[in-house]
Amino acid sequence: MARSLVIVESPAKARTIERFLGRGYEVAASMGHVRDLPRSQLGVDVAQGFVPKYITIRGKGAVIAGLKQKARKAQRVLLATDPDREGEAISWHLCHALGVSPDEKRRITFHEITRDAVRRALAEPRPVDRRLVDAQQARRVVDRLVGYQLSPLLWRKVRGGLSAGRVQSVAVRLICDREAEIREFRAEEYWTIAARLSHGGQAFTARYHGRDGRRQVLENAAAVQSVVAGVGQGPLTVRRVQRRERRRNPAPPFTTAALQQEAARKLNLPVRRTMRLAQELYEGLDVGGEHIGLITYMRTDSVRVAAEAVGDAATFVRGRWGDAYAAPKEGRAAEGAQDAHEAIRPTGVTRTPESLSGKIGRDHLRLYRLIWERFVASQMAPAVFDTVSVELDAPERHGFRASGSTVKFPGFMVLYVEGRDVAPGSGRADEGEEEDAEGADRRLPQLAEGDRPVLQGLEPGQHFTEPPPRYSEAMLVRTLEEKGIGRPSTYATIIETIEARGYVEKDQRRFVPTELGEIVTDLLREHFPQIVDVTFTAAMERDLDRIETEDLDWRHVVGRFYTPFEQALHAAEDAIGQVNLPEETSDETCPECGRPMLVKRGRFGPFLACSGYPECKTTAPLLERTGVGCPKCGTGEIVVRRSRKGRTFYGCRRYPECDYVLWARPVGVCPVCGQPLVEKRGRQGAHWRQCTNTDCDYRDGMGGQAADGDTAVGGAGRAGWT
């Protein structure tokens, strides 16, 4: 009997869907894209209106042949690629490769890989949406025009192997601009004064506010001494006590960018790893012998939730915590969001992380737990705090202030609290009301107007303003999202590319521009200002999106960009002279001839090469050093390595002579036993150093917040979540 052929991108997705369908269906995988622009040439006919030249991707001939054979035997062909622009384009290319019409009703989409969602999609096939295809095609053509015409210019003028791109060059500029801010930063001195007080046997602290009710910044020690002398031994009198109730709403369920940021903050996962794990959770994993899609589609900019999922979550919350904790909400899209899909959520709220423990991989479970908790918490009631603010008068019209809060109703905080790891910045300490991310009580004694708590002492503190922080992966993602640069699905590739090209390096998980990155950025800034201009790039993103939403002619959008770009390209060819980069030396010597080794960069990243080239052609991998000696052999140093599967680990550089290995990064040496210390992180951002010697229990705290230093999620995800 003739069967329907359903084509998806990946074998994992095919296995999951096949279990939902009966004998009348066959599911096959295209293994991603089957056609693309050629790698060896521009592949865009500019003179004929930017017509792209598509060819079969190398290695996909056998895949297409197999799909053609299946399609000929099938009664109908259904295309079930991912529900976004990229998936729509893959379906369109499959139609052309298989010789079937994209205008027939053969395109099916679903936001989650569950039995009901797939069967609903099968009942509602539609033609391939040409607007989505054009939007993806325009983006692909613009990126090809920039990359394949600007990159060769850099090869000729700077060095081979470089690249430039519509989005990656802006990302490098952001990192370079931040480094320039840090270099130009001049620290400013300021002081604070803490009054240690007690009342009714309970100690508390008040901070100096100013004089005559006005805020006063204490800029030097002399100003502090004047205040201390004026306040003397007090007394401090309570002038006003203000009590109020404050509510804190839960964070919305994850968008793609928000997931990338929170996974970096709480799980220390790189963006690329987060997206790969999320893809696998979406396509399906084996759980107790059944292949199940565990989350909804992971590429989305919307916080909207389906009514059915909202109802399921409300029932779950009421059953576990009670009616008072349930506050179901569907949310709405933020301004500018495409809102093509729901937020990222579990496909079944009753499938708790605990029920999956031991059934899926560790990192899969960690990310699933984050998604599950965030979604369930988003459907819960706000946390309620009782807050109190106290103003105290001191001699000579000086004033102090104290604040406290207690949790009246924990609401969503019984389950999940959004990461709020604040990075150091250039501002002064905030003396306003603090918001405790963990909801811990900060109690003040019962105070009333006219009370005179006992002054136990004044503690001046000297401080200096700090420069803005360098970008971590999460911070860079948030900035790109807020400024409308690129799309969340591309951020992992952008970060990987700028590192591989040698434009940036990481220092303590933060991006630092290399000399090469700054040279290339300055060159592009001078000759191609639009390419690295944040505002222009964001406007270009909006124009590319409008092709999908407003049915614009994609060729017109591309042409409006390309005309000035082409003019700048011709002008730069004559204006830019040869850029001579200084050779980057290392402290390594060539094992063959003894000459110094130089740091070179290829398409797969940096490596070491002998300075005696071409007489000596010795090369070696460039190993990232940790500065911690190997405790096993005593002579080697622990360096960063990569496993065959791409996982980072730390081993002795004398391998294979010494096979000492750690899976956590060494950050020092234990002062008790001399073994390496490694950095450990807790679920809520706390991190510490711990000895690797199992017989030594040494550990020391590194602060209560994670080192990635990010504030709460911003951008499209927050709007409309009340």
Side-chain angles (χ1 to χ4, degrees):
M1 182 179 69
R3 297 194 295 175
S4 294
L5 175 65
V6 179
I7 303 177
V8 298
E9 301 99 314
S10 74
K13 188 174 178 181
R15 286 195 301 271
T16 306
I17 293 174
E18 204 162 31
R19 299 186 181 228
F20 301 149
L21 305 178
R23 290 185 177 182
Y25 293 90
E26 180 180 8
V27 186
S30 70
M31 311 302 290
H33 277 278
V34 294
R35 299 198 313 167
D36 197 7
L37 300 174
R39 298 185 63 178
S40 58
Q41 54 183 278
L42 180 64
V44 177
D45 192 337
V46 175
Q48 297 299 319
F50 308 102
V51 175
K53 175 187 176 182
Y54 293 114
I55 63 171
T56 300
I57 297 172
R58 180 175 295 181
K60 290 298 182 73
V63 174
I64 292 177
L67 292 175
K68 279 184 175 180
Q69 186 177 15
K70 295 177 187 294
R72 282 194 294 268
K73 297 178 182 179
Q75 184 179 22
R76 63 173 178 166
V77 176
L78 297 172
L79 305 168
T81 51
D82 284 347
D84 58 9
R85 282 189 294 242
E86 205 71 22
E88 205 74 17
I90 292 175
S91 288
W92 184 74
H93 285 297
L94 282 168
C95 287
H96 285 274
L98 301 180
V100 299
S101 173
D103 297 325
E104 296 177 2
K105 293 184 177 182
R106 61 178 74 254
R107 177 77 168 110
I108 61 173
T109 58
F110 36 82
H111 184 228
E112 58 186 68
I113 305 180
T114 60
R115 189 181 304 274
D116 290 342
V118 172
R119 288 182 173 177
R120 282 197 300 268
L122 288 171
E124 299 176 352
R126 60 169 174 78
V128 173
D129 190 332
R130 190 54 194 258
R131 293 186 304 172
L132 292 176
V133 175
D134 286 347
Q136 188 273 345
Q137 190 165 241
R139 212 172 272 275
R140 187 78 181 94
V141 168
V142 168
D143 289 344
R144 174 57 66 98
L145 291 172
V146 173
Y148 270 51
Q149 294 189 293
L150 193 51
S151 296
L153 178 69
L154 297 179
W155 302 345
R156 294 190 294 271
K157 302 296 185 178
V158 184
R159 191 182 70 195
L162 300 181
S163 69
R166 183 178 59 87
V167 178
Q168 75 172 59
S169 297
V170 177
V172 176
R173 176 184 175 167
L174 290 172
I175 295 169
C176 290
D177 287 350
R178 177 58 55 87
E179 196 67 19
E181 288 182 61
I182 293 171
R183 289 175 187 152
E184 295 169 4
F185 178 81
R186 297 293 179 267
E188 297 180 7
E189 178 185 14
Y190 70 99
W191 290 71
T192 58
I193 303 175
R196 292 186 292 107
L197 302 162
S198 67
H199 182 75
Q202 183 178 345
F204 68 102
T205 301
R207 292 187 176 275
Y208 180 70
H209 178 73
R211 199 168 187 177
D212 293 325
R214 299 176 187 169
R215 178 100 179 252
Q216 179 181 353
V217 176
L218 304 174
E219 297 181 345
N220 50 51
V224 172
Q225 289 298 336
S226 174
V227 173
V228 171
V231 174
Q233 299 299 315
L236 270 65
T237 305
V238 175
R239 180 170 65 86
R240 186 171 70 165
V241 178
Q242 185 175 14
R243 292 183 171 86
R244 62 187 180 93
E245 185 179 272
R246 177 171 58 86
R247 292 175 175 266
R248 178 177 173 186
N249 291 317
F254 282 127
T255 62
T256 303
L259 175 64
Q260 292 170 350
Q261 295 166 51
E262 193 77 338
R265 278 195 293 264
K266 290 197 170 185
L267 306 181
N268 197 29
L269 288 176
V271 171
R272 177 165 288 279
R273 176 70 172 156
T274 296
M275 293 308 293
R276 184 164 64 248
L277 291 169
Q279 180 86 37
E280 291 164 355
L281 288 170
Y282 164 69
E283 292 183 343
L285 298 173
D286 286 318
V287 180
E290 183 181 4
H291 211 73
I292 302 173
L294 296 174
I295 65 170
T296 55
Y297 193 54
M298 66 288 162
R299 294 189 179 96
T300 178
D301 61 0
S302 175
V303 297
R304 178 174 52 81
V305 179
E308 182 182 359
V310 171
D312 291 344
T315 301
F316 180 87
V317 170
R318 292 188 180 102
R320 175 168 288 193
W321 290 285
D323 290 347
Y325 283 84
K329 55 188 81 70
E330 295 184 16
R332 57 182 173 84
E335 183 179 354
Q338 295 178 55
D339 196 33
H341 318 293
E342 288 185 68
I344 304 170
R345 60 170 175 82
T347 54
V349 71
T350 57
R351 193 176 293 116
T352 64
E354 291 75 21
S355 70
L356 297 177
S357 181
K359 298 178 181 178
I360 60 176
R362 174 179 175 270
D363 282 348
H364 287 113
L365 181 60
R366 293 169 69 213
L367 189 64
Y368 179 80
R369 182 186 300 276
L370 196 67
I371 294 168
W372 186 90
E373 289 182 350
R374 174 83 163 222
F375 169 67
V376 175
S378 75
Q379 302 299 311
M380 297 176 69
V384 182
F385 297 84
D386 282 333
T387 66
V388 58
S389 177
V390 179
E391 298 178 15
L392 302 104
D393 289 335
E396 296 194 6
R397 306 190 308 280
H398 292 295
F400 288 76
R401 291 186 177 182
S403 62
S405 67
T406 56
V407 179
K408 182 178 182 180
F409 176 68
F412 71 93
M413 295 175 65
V414 298
L415 177 63
Y416 172 87
V417 178
E418 182 184 15
R420 294 180 180 273
D421 309 329
V422 180
S426 59
R428 293 181 169 85
D430 182 13
E431 295 179 18
E433 180 182 306
E434 300 173 7
E435 183 172 328
D436 192 331
E438 302 306 321
D441 289 343
R442 292 178 286 108
R443 295 179 179 273
L444 292 181
Q446 288 294 327
L447 293 165
E449 293 179 9
D451 284 346
R452 290 188 172 185
V454 177
L455 177 60
Q456 297 176 330
L458 298 174
E459 295 181 351
Q462 184 185 32
H463 311 277
F464 294 90
T465 55
E466 297 180 351
R470 289 174 172 145
Y471 287 105
S472 65
E473 279 197 13
M475 293 171 67
L476 184 61
V477 165
R478 187 184 70 239
T479 302
L480 291 171
E481 182 197 25
E482 289 175 346
K483 294 182 179 297
I485 306 300
R487 286 295 172 258
S489 59
T490 66
Y491 293 156
T493 302
I494 292 167
I495 290 171
E496 184 179 47
T497 300
I498 63 178
E499 285 190 272
R501 295 292 183 264
Y503 295 144
V504 300
E505 296 174 337
K506 277 185 180 174
D507 180 15
Q508 297 180 338
R509 299 192 181 96
R510 295 190 180 263
F511 290 115
V512 181
T514 61
E515 184 178 21
L516 174 64
E518 294 186 308
I519 289 173
V520 171
T521 298
D522 289 342
L523 187 148
L524 295 178
R525 198 194 311 257
E526 180 180 356
H527 298 282
F528 299 92
Q530 288 185 322
I531 293 298
V532 292
D533 181 73
V534 172
T535 303
F536 174 83
T537 306
M540 186 69 192
E541 292 286 358
R542 291 193 294 271
D543 286 344
L544 292 171
D545 286 342
R546 288 172 59 208
I547 296 170
E548 173 186 338
T549 58
E550 300 178 21
D551 202 19
L552 293 180
D553 184 348
W554 70 270
R555 294 175 181 83
H556 174 71
V557 175
V558 174
R560 195 167 54 190
F561 161 80
Y562 184 71
T563 299
F565 172 72
E566 185 182 32
Q567 294 170 353
L569 200 64
H570 291 314
E573 187 69 53
D574 298 328
I576 301 175
Q578 190 64 38
V579 178
N580 295 315
L581 293 173
E583 290 187 329
E584 186 178 351
T585 59
S586 72
D587 56 2
E588 303 286 337
T589 56
C590 177
E592 298 297 327
C593 67
R595 282 178 280 201
M597 299 286 277
L598 302 177
V599 178
K600 300 288 186 179
R601 298 182 188 275
R603 59 182 299 188
F604 299 110
F607 63 96
L608 294 176
C610 181
S611 57
Y613 181 86
E615 291 82 8
C616 180
K617 299 181 180 179
T618 302
T619 61
L622 179 63
L623 300 175
E624 181 184 344
R625 305 171 67 171
T626 65
V628 178
C630 175
K632 186 171 183 178
C633 67
T635 57
E637 180 184 353
I638 301 175
V639 296
V640 181
R641 295 187 178 276
R642 298 286 187 276
S643 69
R644 291 182 179 179
K645 294 185 177 180
R647 185 178 175 187
T648 300
F649 69 98
Y650 307 88
C652 181
R653 72 176 306 155
R654 293 184 63 245
Y655 178 84
E657 288 82 6
C658 178
D659 60 358
Y660 183 79
V661 167
L662 290 171
W663 288 104
R665 187 182 185 92
V667 291
V669 177
C670 177
V672 177
C673 68
Q675 294 291 305
L677 294 173
V678 295
E679 184 175 349
K680 295 286 188 178
R681 290 172 178 253
R683 284 191 59 203
Q684 300 297 343
H687 58 301
W688 62 92
R689 298 190 306 171
Q690 183 172 312
C691 184
T692 54
N693 183 357
T694 56
D695 296 326
C696 177
D697 58 0
Y698 178 83
R699 61 183 282 172
D700 63 9
M702 298 172 65
Q705 302 295 343
D708 279 342
D710 293 295
T711 56
V713 173
R718 176 65 69 184
W721 196 256
T722 56

